[in-house]
Amino acid sequence: MTAATYSSVAHTHEMAPEKPDHHAFDGFQWTEENAKSAARQIAKYPEGRQQSAVMGLLDLAQRQIGVQTETQGWLPIPVIEFVAKQLSMPYIRVYEVASFYTMYNLAPVGKYHVQLCGTTPCMLRGSDDVMRALNEKGIRKGKTTPDGLFTLTEVECMGNCANAPMLQINDDNYEDLDADSTARIIDALAAGDRPQPGSQTGRKSSEPAGGPTTLKEFTA
Amino acid sequence: MPKLTVDGIEVEVPQGATVLQACEAAGKEIPRFCYHERLSIAGNCRMCLVEMEKSPKPVASCAMPASDGQVVKTNSEVTRKAREGVMEFLLINHPLDCPICDQGGECDLQDQALNYGRGRSRYQENKRAVTEKYMGPIIKTVMTRCIHCTRCVRFAEEVAGVEEIGAVGRGENMQITTYLEQAATSELSGNVIDLCPVGALTSKPYAFESRPWELVKTNGIDVMDAVGSNVRYDSRGPQVLRVLPRVNDDVNEEWLSDKGRYGPLGLMKRRLDAPYIRENGKLRRATWKDAFAAVKRGLSGLGGEQIGAIAGDLVDVESMVALKDLLAQLGSSRHECRQDGAQLGGEISGVRASYLFNTGIAPLETADVVLLIGSNPRWEAPLVNTRIRKAVRRGAAKVFAIGPEVDLTYEAEWLGGDLTVLGSLPQAVVDALKGAERPAVIVGQGALARTDGAGVLAAVETLVRDFNLVRDGWNGFNVLHTAAGRVGGLDIGFTAEGGVSRILADAESGALKALFLHGADEIDAGALPGVFKIYVGHHGDRGVRHADVILPAASFAEKDATWVNMEGRVQRSNRAVFPPGDAREDWAIFRALSDVLGSPLGYDDMDALRARIAREFPLLADEGLAVVGWDSFSIPGRSEVQPEPVRYSFENYYMTNPVARASEVMQQCSEIILHGNEDVLEAAE
C-alpha cells in the first residue's frame, strides 16, 4: 500500500466511522440472572402498566451487552426491539426513550465511557485542563481510542458542581480534577486498575476544601 | 357549565371545555399549531397563549380547562407580546424557504407569522438543519421545517392506531421520524400531510405540482370504498391534481383513506378516450357512430333475456338507472350490480335494511360489543375501522372477529375462520352480546360472496332475533360494503335472479348472447367467447380485454353523480374535470345508444334523469341519510353455511379497482408496504 492510499483510507475512516453492526445482536436473550432481574423490575408496576419498566430494562440490556462485549455496552436495534416485545410496546416508543436519555448509548463505546462535564461551573474550575490532559492521552471527543479502551463524550451538568471539574467514567465519578490527576486516572484505568472514585484532592464528599469551617465541634 | 368572560363577552361552555374553546365560542380566533380538535392535547407549541386575570403569566389556552369566573383577554398587550415571542422562537429554526415549499399559501405558520408575528427577525446565529426522513411513497419530508407540534405522532397513535411515527432525541436535537425510517404502513398515513401545520410533511405525489390558488376546487364523494367520504377534488385544466377530505362528522370526520387520496391519481392513466371496435380479434379505434352501429349489429335479433348487464363498483346511480332503462327497452331485466357475487339484496333479501350498515358510521363509535364476520374493516373501510377503534379506546368495547387473523389496530378476540361458528357462538360471545347495550354485528362481503352467502346472511339475521340487536334507538345489524356503487345499485333494483353466477353460466351455455360490462372489471369476461360484450367505462383494465365494443365513459370525477354509501346516505358529487377525448357521461351514452336502437329514453338532461329517478325511487331524490327503518326479513331457500374458511374481500388494499390499479402511487404503496420491495421508489425516481 502506498503512502497516499493509506492516508486517504485513514481520512475516510475518520470522516465516516464504521456503522455499528446491529445484526450481530440478532436473537438477543436475557442471561438467566438478568431474566430474573427483568421480571423483578416489571413486577414493580401494577398490571397493565408494565411499560413503566422500560427504562430499567433498557439499562439492564445495555449492561448485559457491556458484559458481552467487554465495553460499557450499547443498545443495538435488535435489543431495543427485544425490550419492546417483552413490554408489548411499539418499537418507536422504546426507541424514543432510548434516544432521549443520554445514558443509553445508541452506538458502541469503549471499555471506559469517559464523560467530561463542560458546563459553566466545571469550565470555570478548569474542565478545559482536563480536556487537554485527555487529548494528550490520545482520547478525542466523540471518538473511541484505537485500543477500544476509552470513549470520550462531553456532557452537560452532572450535578457535581461543588466538586468541579469532574469526569464520569462508567458508574464512577472522579471529582476535583486537574490535568495531573486526570492523567493518573487514565493511566491507572489503562493499566487495568480501578482508581479510587470521588474527590482526587482528598477532601470528603463536598466539604469545603481544607476541612470544615463551621460547626467544627460536631466533626471532632 | 362554567361561565367566563372573553374580551368582555360572557360565554358559557360545557363542562370540560378548554379556554381555547371558550374563546372560539366568543368568536375570537386563537392561533395554534399543536392543538387539534380530534387529537389529544399536547400543549407544546405555546402559540395559543392568552392573558388571564389572576394568572401571573399568560396561559396556554388549549390546555387550560375553562372554569367559572375566568377573565380572558385575547387582544391585550400581554397576549400580543406572548404570541410575538412564541412566533419568534418558532421561526428561529424554521427555514425561510416558503418560495420553494409546497405548503406555501396554505401554511398555518405562514399565516400566523403574518398575523401574529413581529415582522422581522432579530436572530443572527446559524439555524439548525435536519436531514430528510424517508416515510414511504406518500409522505415527503423536509424536516428542517418541522416545529415539533407532534400532531403526526398523535394521529398515528390515536386515530390510525399504527404506532410508527415518533419523536427521537431531545431538546434541540429532537426529530420526527418513522421507526428506522421505514415507510408508514397505515392506510390513513396521508392524513398527517393535512395535519402538518407547516411544510415538513407534504404530499410526495403532489410535490412542486401547483399552488393552492391555481386550483379549481370541486366537492366530490370518494368512491374508493363504500364509506362515501366527503372529498374535494383540486383540479387544474384537465387534471385532478389532488384529493383532500372535507369535514363531515357523520361520515369521514376530516380524514381520508390513502386510497381515496391517491387512487384518483390513476384518472390520468390507462384512460379510454375513444370508442373501439374489435375486428378480427384486434381493437380498432372508431367513431361513436361506428361504435353504436356495431352495438346495433351485435344486438340485432337478440331479444329480452338474451341481453344482460353487469355494473362495476364505481358506477353511480344515474348511470345504472339509464342502463336499466335501456335494458328494459330491449326487453331485458338481467342487470346485476353484485359483481363479486355477494348474496344479499335483490331476490335474496328485498328489505332495504338487510343490506345496509344500519348502525351508521358515526354511531358505531358508541358500540360496546362488535362482532366482525368475514370482514377486515381496516382494509375494506379504513374510516369505519377508526370508529371501531374509537369505541375500543373510549368505551373499552369488546371486539370479536371471525376470519383470518389480521392486525385491526385494536384488540380483537379471534374465533377462527369457520362461519359455521355463527350457529354455535362461544359462550363468551353469547354473554357479551346478551349483556351489551349497543351490540353491533358487522358482516363483510367476504362472508356473503360465497355459494353459501345467503345462508350466512340468514345466520346473521338469526343473531338479530336471538340477541335483540335491533332495539329502541339502536340497530346493530350491519353489512360492510366495499363498492361505492353497490348500495345505490341495490336501491334501484339493479339485480337479477341468481346474480352474476347465473349470468355467467347462461353466457356459457348460450342462453345469454350479449352482455354490457358497465365498468365491471372484477369479473372474468374472458371465459365468455360466444357472447357479444360491450364495455362501457373509463379505464382500460380487465374488462376491456375481451370486449367487442368499447364505449368510453366519464369517471366519477368527470360527471355529476349520486352515490349511496353503505349506511344508505345519499350524497351528490360534482363534475371536477371533463372526460378525456371522446369519452362521454355514461347516462348520455345510454341515451344516445337508445336512439340508435330505435326507442329513445325519456330524458335529455341530468335534471330530467334525476326527476325520473325521484319518481320511482323517492329515497334517492334528496341528499342525506335515507332511513326506511328496520323491517325483519327472511331468506327463502337459503343454503346451509359451509365450514369452508372465510376469506376477506381484498388481498391487496391498494389495488381494488381499475382507477387505483392505474395509480402509480398505489402501485408503489402495494410494492413497498405490502410486498416489502423498497427498490421500487428509487427505480421510479
Side-chain angles (χ1 to χ4, degrees), chain A residues 77-78 80-81 90-97 99-102, chain B residues 153 157 163-171 177-180 182:
Chain A
I77 293 297
I80 289 177
E81 294 181 358
Y91 296 162
I92 182 76
R93 294 283 99 87
V94 181
Y95 188 68
E96 280 178 336
V97 173
S99 67
F100 185 88
Y101 294 99
T102 52
Chain B
V153 179
E157 180 183 344
E163 291 188 54
E164 52 193 7
I165 303 179
V168 301
R170 61 171 4 185
T177 179
T178 48
Y179 180 64
L180 302 183
Q182 289 161 348

Side-chain angles (χ1 to χ4, degrees), chain B residues 605-632:
Chain B
D605 55 38
M606 184 54 98
D607 287 344
L609 172 56
R610 283 193 173 158
R612 175 253 177 275
I613 295 171
R615 267 197 303 282
E616 193 182 344
F617 311 104
L619 272 178
L620 307 180
D622 295 306
E623 282 192 271
L625 191 58
V627 187
V628 286
W630 179 254
D631 206 348
S632 62

Side-chain angles (χ1 to χ4, degrees), chain B residues 184-444:
Chain B
T185 61
S186 165
E187 295 73 30
L188 295 166
S189 63
N191 291 300
V192 301
I193 297 165
D194 292 346
L195 283 172
C196 185
V198 297
L201 308 179
T202 53
S203 173
K204 208 176 241 180
Y206 176 72
F208 307 130
E209 284 280 350
S210 176
R211 284 295 185 197
W213 56 83
E214 300 173 325
L215 299 169
V216 177
K217 298 161 182 76
T218 315
N219 288 352
I221 299 298
D222 173 39
V223 300
M224 295 289 138
D225 54 33
V227 173
S229 301
N230 290 203
V231 297
R232 192 183 90 192
Y233 293 113
D234 280 9
S235 57
R236 191 180 56 192
Q239 194 172 0
V240 174
L241 287 177
R242 63 173 178 180
V243 185
L244 296 177
R246 279 183 289 142
V247 177
N248 187 336
D249 281 329
D250 292 330
V251 185
N252 56 318
E253 298 178 273
E254 60 181 271
W255 317 126
L256 183 57
S257 67
D258 285 354
K259 194 162 44 174
R261 203 179 281 265
Y262 295 108
L265 297 187
L267 285 177
M268 291 301 283
K269 301 268 161 66
R270 300 188 196 164
R271 285 306 296 270
L272 302 172
D273 58 353
Y276 284 86
I277 305 172
R278 190 175 295 277
E279 283 172 352
N280 306 323
K282 286 193 109 173
L283 285 170
R284 175 179 71 82
R285 207 183 165 99
T287 61
W288 275 103
K289 208 176 148 201
D290 292 348
F292 280 158
V295 173
K296 191 176 182 183
R297 269 200 310 281
L299 296 181
S300 71
L302 300 185
E305 303 299 301
Q306 287 178 312
I307 305 170
I310 298 173
D313 295 345
L314 309 181
V315 183
D316 56 298
V317 171
E318 285 87 350
S319 304
M320 273 187 282
V321 169
L323 178 55
K324 193 183 172 200
D325 288 349
L326 178 69
L327 283 176
Q329 302 254 12
L330 296 168
S332 169
S333 61
R334 307 198 68 168
H335 34 60
E336 183 52 64
C337 68
R338 295 163 298 183
Q339 197 187 189
D340 54 6
Q343 300 195 10
L344 80 171
E347 80 286 5
I348 292 175
S349 59
V351 185
R352 187 165 191 255
S354 73
Y355 57 78
L356 289 187
F357 199 89
N358 291 296
T359 300
I361 291 170
L364 184 63
E365 63 187 55
T366 63
D368 48 7
V369 172
V370 177
L371 173 61
L372 296 168
I373 302 166
S375 174
N376 172 7
R378 182 171 168 190
W379 275 13
E380 289 164 18
L383 291 171
V384 171
N385 204 44
T386 58
R387 302 284 187 164
I388 305 177
R389 184 176 152 75
K390 237 194 229 183
V392 172
R393 273 172 66 89
R394 179 193 288 170
K398 188 99 185 73
V399 180
F400 300 96
I402 304 173
E405 285 191 29
V406 290
D407 177 11
L408 291 169
T409 71
Y410 42 83
E411 283 278 317
E413 195 169 308
W414 295 91
L415 310 176
D418 184 353
L419 287 173
T420 54
V421 76
L422 286 173
S424 56
L425 286 171
Q427 198 55 40
V429 186
V430 172
D431 291 346
L433 283 174
K434 278 228 169 87
E437 272 178 43
R438 289 179 300 280
V441 170
I442 299 173
V443 57

